Amino acid sequence: MPEATFWLGETYLQRSRYREAAEHFLSVSAEHPDAAKAPDALLRLGISLNGLGAKDRACAVFSELDRKYPQASAAVRQTSEREQKRIKCS
């Protein structure tokens, strides 16, 4: 089910419904940390949190992503780095 939950979160993110998106991405990353989509869910959680105006929490999630999933795909790592620069994480 983590795959379906991820994609449902993605539909909310695309519609700028950040709270619902964050809930779904958090569910995937917390309840299924070994799922294939878990690193991507954590990335999207950070993006959703920033959309909610929770920049500090978003930055914390991006750093957790780097620590927790060093084997994440290059695309996920690059997007995380780009988002951290964009929102000026320290």
Side-chain angles (χ1 to χ4, degrees), residues 32-50:
H32 306 281
D34 298 326
K37 282 289 187 191
D40 213 0
L42 209 50
L43 171 65
R44 298 284 200 274
L45 174 59
I47 293 169
S48 300
L49 288 169
N50 187 58

Side-chain angles (χ1 to χ4, degrees), residues 9-49:
E10 185 69 15
T11 67
Y12 286 120
L13 182 60
Q14 294 304 316
R15 292 179 285 161
S16 300
R17 291 177 59 181
Y18 300 116
R19 184 165 309 285
E20 293 96 332
E23 289 169 2
H24 284 81
F25 295 133
L26 179 61
S27 169
V28 173
S29 60
E31 296 171 23
H32 306 281
D34 298 326
K37 282 289 187 191
D40 213 0
L42 209 50
L43 171 65
R44 298 284 200 274
L45 174 59
I47 293 169
S48 300
L49 288 169

